[in-house]
Amino acid sequence: MNAERLFEEVHVLARLYHWSERDILALTAARRGRYLQLLARDAERAEGRG
């Protein structure tokens, strides 16, 4: 994973879950990815696509 992608993941999770950068970086990449999948699913549902 490149640094820019990691910054983007931290940004999204911090903004929507209000978690600290430290807490987010303590998660495995797989767990961060799962939370991001859940957020994407919720966004699709909110837009009426899911």
Side-chain angles (χ1 to χ4, degrees):
M1 170 179 300
N2 67 41
E4 186 60 30
R5 166 106 186 193
L6 184 57
F7 273 111
E8 289 177 12
E9 288 186 4
V10 170
H11 169 71
V12 170
L13 293 171
R15 184 170 58 91
L16 296 172
Y17 285 115
H18 307 283
W19 294 341
S20 71
E21 181 181 52
R22 180 185 309 245
D23 290 340
I24 295 166
L25 293 174
L27 297 170
T28 64
R31 277 187 70 122
R32 283 194 315 271
R34 182 64 182 126
Y35 283 112
L36 292 166
Q37 287 175 343
L38 292 171
L39 290 170
R41 182 199 66 193
D42 290 350
E44 287 178 4
R45 286 181 179 169
E47 294 174 3
R49 296 185 305 180

